[in-house]
Amino acid sequence: MYLRTIASAFALLALVSGCGGDYGYEGDPYKDANTSTSKEPGGPQRSNSSVLGDGGLFGSVLGNGKKTEGGTGIGVNVFLWRATLDTLSFVPLASADPFGGVVITDWYAPPETPYERFKVNVYILGRELRTDSVRVAVFRQNRKGAADWADSQVAATTGTNLENEILVRARQMRVAARNAASQ
C-alpha cells in the first residue's frame, strides 16, 4: 500500500512537471532570457506544442534555429539538473529522473556523525533558471539502538540553503557556458 502511494505520487509529479507557464514579471532578474515568450519580431519564441518542447526529445529550438539554453533533451533546465547533481555529488543517488526533474538520494551518514543520517529529494519544477524552479526536501534520522533509526527534525533553513547552493552553482554553470560560447 505504501509503495503504491509513493508510485502514484511520483507519477502525478511527472505529469504535473510537464505543465508550466510564464509566471515571471517584466524585469524579473532570475528569468532566463533565452526562454522568453516574447512576441517581438526576431525575438526568442517558445511553443508549448509538445511536452518536451519544440525540439522534441533531443532539445528545444528557438524560432531562429538556435538551440535554447538548457535544451539538451532533458525535460528540465539543464543547468539546474547539472548543478543539482554537482551539489549532491558526495551523497549516493537512489534515483535520478532527468525527464521528470526528480533526484532522490540514498541515506548518507557523514563520517563525523555516524549516528545521524540524511536523505535529500530535489524536484526541478521548470525549464527556466528561476528561484521557484527547484524545491528541496531534507530528511534526517538518528540511530536508536543497534540497527534502528528514528526520524528527527531538520532545521527549517536546511532545504532553503540547499536550494540556494543549487541555484548559485547553476548560475555559475550558465555564465561559464555563455563565456565559452562567446569565445
Side-chain angles (χ1 to χ4, degrees):
M1 179 68 175
Y2 180 70
L3 291 175
R4 184 177 297 159
T5 304
I6 290 175
S8 297
F10 280 120
L12 180 63
L13 181 64
L15 286 173
V16 173
S17 69
C19 301
D22 187 10
Y23 301 110
Y25 57 90
E26 197 68 32
D28 185 353
Y30 298 110
K31 182 161 179 59
D32 188 349
N34 285 339
T35 58
S36 171
T37 55
S38 167
K39 299 297 181 196
E40 299 170 1
Q45 302 292 318
R46 182 179 67 189
S47 169
N48 293 328
S49 61
S50 168
V51 174
L52 298 174
D54 285 340
L57 183 61
F58 300 106
S60 58
V61 178
L62 293 174
N64 59 6
K66 294 183 180 176
K67 284 194 146 218
T68 61
E69 180 178 296
T72 62
I74 64 175
V76 295
N77 183 282
V78 70
F79 298 115
L80 285 174
W81 179 255
R82 289 179 183 165
T84 298
L85 295 178
D86 191 45
T87 303
L88 298 176
S89 63
F90 67 96
V91 183
L93 295 181
S95 174
D97 178 12
F99 295 102
V102 179
V103 175
I104 301 172
T105 69
D106 204 355
W107 287 102
Y108 172 72
E112 310 84 47
T113 57
Y115 296 104
E116 179 179 58
R117 66 183 187 175
F118 299 91
K119 179 180 177 115
V120 179
N121 294 352
V122 179
Y123 307 98
I124 301 172
L125 305 172
R127 292 196 49 86
E128 293 147 358
L129 181 50
R130 297 173 18 151
T131 56
D132 60 350
S133 292
V134 64
R135 290 291 169 254
V136 174
V138 180
F139 306 95
R140 176 179 165 216
Q141 291 183 339
N142 288 320
R143 187 177 297 249
K144 184 179 175 185
D148 294 330
W149 293 91
D151 292 338
S152 298
Q153 286 290 97
V154 177
T157 59
T158 304
T160 304
N161 290 342
L162 271 172
E163 289 172 8
N164 290 336
E165 289 293 324
I166 291 169
L167 288 165
V168 166
R169 184 67 184 127
R171 288 183 189 117
Q172 291 170 347
M173 290 177 166
R174 181 176 68 178
V175 167
R178 284 187 179 168
N179 290 340
S182 67
Q183 292 179 1

